[in-house]
Amino acid sequence: MSNMSPSLSETSAKASINNKDLDNIALYLTSTQQRFRENIILPRTVGPVQLKTNEEKLIESIMESCAFKSIASCVIGYGLGAAIGLFTSSVNPNVAAVEKQQSVREVFREMKITTLGYAKNFAVLGCVFTAIECTIESYRGKSDWKNGTYAGGLTGGMIGLRAGIKAGLIGAAGFAAFSTAIDYYMNRS
């Protein structure tokens, strides 16, 4: 009878589970077993946990900096201004002398001057507005409609001051109102 398998009562007596074993089973079934750092356990909700590497954090901090945002606005503003300037110069060319027929070279030169003028103005406007808005947002620690309004007022005032105090005040009020309206429209939809 030594070849016979042990009875069910003998097996259950050998395989008893104590409270510590139950706790370990419960922890295994309900929590994550991956430790991403030495003393940190990150629970998973839907999908895997993705921790950012130091390089990703560095790139993110560079892209969120005021300097990067200002330079990006300058480049984008330059491109947009060039497109608007090209369109404007092609729709309404300046005719210097009515009696004389303009050559293609003169028309292209005029288009170049108009296009570059618009491009430079839009680049400066975008750079100044973005730098001021980002600085105000960093100082206040909030991202709301007031940042754009304050930045619009300062930018419009600085641009208008070239023509005098009255023009500076009108420019500040107009640019602040325009910026507030755009913020309202963009955040509402």
Side-chain angles (χ1 to χ4, degrees):
M1 289 263 186
S2 61
N3 289 345
M4 291 182 67
S5 63
S7 67
L8 184 60
S9 62
E10 291 173 359
T11 307
S12 63
K14 290 181 185 176
S16 66
I17 299 175
N18 58 18
N19 287 339
K20 185 178 178 184
D21 293 335
L22 286 174
D23 287 342
N24 288 335
I25 291 171
L27 280 174
Y28 180 78
L29 293 175
T30 60
S31 68
T32 179
Q33 298 301 310
Q34 290 181 309
R35 290 184 180 262
F36 293 98
R37 298 283 194 266
E38 191 173 310
N39 294 324
I40 300 175
I41 296 177
L42 296 174
R44 283 198 235 181
T45 53
V46 178
V49 175
Q50 297 288 331
L51 290 180
K52 294 180 183 174
T53 64
N54 289 335
E55 292 81 14
E56 289 173 331
K57 290 178 187 177
L58 177 68
I59 296 296
E60 186 176 289
S61 69
I62 289 171
M63 292 186 74
E64 289 179 359
S65 70
C66 290
F68 181 83
K69 288 180 181 179
S70 297
I71 292 170
S73 275
C74 185
V75 170
I76 292 169
Y78 189 87
L80 179 65
I84 291 173
L86 184 64
F87 175 75
T88 303
S89 67
S90 66
V91 170
N92 187 16
N94 293 333
V95 179
V98 177
E99 303 90 30
K100 181 182 158 192
Q101 185 71 17
Q102 277 188 320
S103 69
V104 174
R105 174 176 267 165
E106 289 172 355
V107 171
F108 281 149
R109 187 178 312 125
E110 231 174 71
M111 288 176 78
K112 177 184 171 188
I113 291 170
T114 305
T115 300
L116 289 177
Y118 273 87
K120 289 176 190 175
N121 288 336
F122 272 74
V124 168
L125 184 68
C127 184
V128 169
F129 179 80
T130 304
I132 291 173
E133 184 182 30
C134 186
T135 304
I136 290 172
E137 186 175 325
S138 297
Y139 178 75
R140 290 183 67 224
K142 293 180 185 178
S143 180
D144 59 3
W145 64 272
K146 292 179 184 178
N147 298 333
T149 303
Y150 296 151
L154 283 171
T155 304
M158 286 178 9
I159 291 171
L161 273 179
R162 295 186 296 180
I165 299 290
K166 187 176 179 182
L169 292 174
I170 292 171
F175 208 103
F178 178 73
S179 180
T180 304
I182 291 296
D183 259 350
Y184 176 75
Y185 176 76
M186 295 299 281
N187 292 329
R188 197 185 102 224
S189 54

